[in-house]
Amino acid sequence: MNLKSLANLLGMSKTTVSRALNGYPEVNAMTRERVLKAAREAGYEANPMARSLAVGRTNVYGIIYPLLPSDLGDPMFLDTVGGMTETLEARKMNFIIGPVSAGNELDAYEQIVRGRRVDGLVVSRTQLHDERIAYLLKVRFPFVAHGRTKVDAPYAWFDYDNESGIRLATRHLLSHGHQRIALLSAPLDMNFACQRKEGFIACMAEAGLTPDPRHMIPNTMDRRSGYQGMQQLLECSPRPTAVIVDNHLSGVGAMRALLDAGVEVGKDISIIVWGSMADTLAGINVTTVDQPDPRAAGAKMIDMLLALSGGAAPETLQVLWQPVLVPGATVGRPV
């Protein structure tokens, strides 16, 4: 059963039937119901390619992502994408992930946009000065940034409060008497890493403390770099009494380095990791700064993207959620 056959069955024009199926307001309710009933009874399903050409939409949204090996085993990433997928599937729409090499990311954006392969994009791992966002703003293509960036034009974004979260961790350690606190950071061209570092330094300054430059180690974004960063801290003299790791991917490596070195975590050195560690270090109750409900966050970003595609102003679609400190067994008083 195709559109022509359905139109012939109903004794209507293809145009009227198509408009009724696609919810055009100029088709009256009685006609629309008659068309929909006939389509259901005949088992008619619209050709998605033809429909997208007719209405100028694909009903597909996506994310272009330079996948790291650790991403496929990252429960936070998978939960966030799961929330996006479920929200779109409930509306009979689809979500796709376009893996891309880091050096080809902007070219991939241009190809996707020029070909109108999706109706909107989620831009993840935002950078301080993000050329992807600058491009999408220039061509007026719908997007929601998962994170913020430095740009003058209004744009839609969803983020967790990076400064607030790092202050929670720093104050928790200060309250236990720590003064030599180290920070393992993701690459500082990423906006979240820069915000967390700035918040850490400001919080330490408010306590009358200046972090030792040797205790500020950037570019830790996976298990290997987290492991190496912690090894570097352990070689310092004096070494820090506490460490904050600003992302859970390198947090796993940092914890492993402590365990391999025979350090009694929570006694010899305290540690707080940003992001849930429950699924990556079984049996170790790590103190964390948690981003609550990543699945709901993914759903929220899709709701925002659909609103944006429907004509909502970008400046009305800016959402900041608060992280929470989850106490564990890896923080104690310095020896």
Side-chain angles (χ1 to χ4, degrees):
M1 175 65 69
N2 57 28
L3 182 64
K4 181 179 180 181
S5 299
L6 182 62
N8 289 339
L9 177 67
L10 289 162
M12 298 180 184
S13 70
K14 286 173 58 178
T15 300
T16 298
V17 172
S18 175
R19 288 178 177 274
L21 291 169
N22 289 301
Y24 281 78
E26 58 265 34
V27 179
N28 66 57
M30 185 178 296
T31 300
R32 182 180 301 111
E33 181 55 35
R34 181 184 168 203
V35 170
L36 292 174
K37 182 175 182 294
R40 287 193 299 269
E41 292 174 350
Y44 170 80
E45 290 188 12
N47 181 317
M49 185 173 293
R51 184 182 186 280
S52 68
L53 290 171
V55 302
R57 291 195 175 186
T58 64
N59 280 337
V60 177
Y61 293 82
I63 183 171
I64 300 170
Y65 207 83
L67 284 173
L68 301 173
S70 54
D71 288 325
L72 297 179
D74 177 6
M76 292 183 66
F77 172 76
L78 296 176
D79 277 348
T80 302
V81 170
M84 295 177 180
T85 302
E86 290 170 359
T87 303
L88 284 170
E89 286 178 344
R91 294 169 168 82
K92 306 298 182 184
M93 299 178 181
N94 297 110
F95 186 76
I96 61 170
I97 301 176
V100 65
S101 60
N104 195 50
E105 200 169 353
L106 186 58
D107 287 343
Y109 272 82
E110 292 173 351
Q111 291 172 15
I112 287 285
V113 170
R114 283 199 302 266
R116 296 296 300 193
R117 299 176 189 175
V118 297
D119 294 332
L121 288 165
V122 175
V123 182
S124 195
R125 287 183 177 159
T126 53
Q127 300 170 350
L128 276 173
H129 303 283
D130 202 306
E131 61 181 358
R132 302 167 300 172
I133 289 178
Y135 168 71
L136 293 174
L137 286 170
K138 179 181 177 181
V139 298
R140 299 183 178 181
F141 192 81
F143 74 93
V144 171
H146 185 189
R148 288 162 285 171
T149 185
K150 294 186 182 298
V151 65
D152 292 332
Y155 64 101
W157 55 260
F158 173 94
D159 204 0
Y160 287 90
D161 193 333
N162 294 301
E163 183 176 355
S164 173
I166 211 71
R167 283 178 175 271
L168 288 174
T170 308
R171 287 171 180 158
H172 189 64
L173 293 171
L174 290 170
S175 72
H176 281 74
H178 292 279
Q179 295 189 351
R180 293 198 308 273
I181 305 174
L183 179 67
L184 293 182
S185 297
L188 294 172
D189 61 345
M190 292 185 173
N191 194 63
F192 80 84
C194 187
Q195 288 181 326
R196 292 173 192 178
K197 179 184 177 182
E198 290 174 352
F200 169 70
I201 293 173
C203 192
M204 291 286 281
E206 290 166 7
L209 300 170
T210 301
D212 187 328
R214 298 174 301 165
H215 296 168
M216 306 280 288
I217 299 179
N219 300 318
T220 64
M221 195 59 182
D222 56 24
R223 296 187 182 198
R224 180 184 296 273
S225 57
Y227 191 99
Q228 293 170 340
M230 184 59 78
Q231 284 184 316
Q232 188 175 334
L233 291 176
L234 292 175
E235 292 171 359
C236 290
S237 181
R239 70 187 188 185
T241 63
V243 181
I244 300 172
V245 187
D246 82 348
N247 68 92
H248 65 289
L249 297 176
S250 55
V252 178
M255 278 293 302
R256 176 50 55 191
L258 290 173
L259 297 174
D260 287 352
V263 172
E264 190 172 348
V265 181
K267 182 177 179 182
D268 299 331
I269 289 183
S270 293
I271 184 170
I272 299 177
V273 175
W274 187 300
S276 174
M277 303 283 282
D279 297 325
T280 49
L281 281 173
I284 301 177
N285 185 19
V286 181
T287 302
T288 59
V289 176
D290 202 14
Q291 298 182 170
D293 208 342
R295 191 169 290 271
K300 180 64 176 178
M301 282 182 265
I302 292 301
D303 286 340
M304 294 166 65
L305 191 51
L306 293 174
L308 191 68
S309 299
E315 59 270 24
T316 67
L317 299 169
Q318 297 176 340
V319 178
L320 188 66
W321 282 9
Q322 291 300 314
V324 296
L325 182 76
V326 181
T330 58
V331 172
R333 300 193 68 81
V335 178

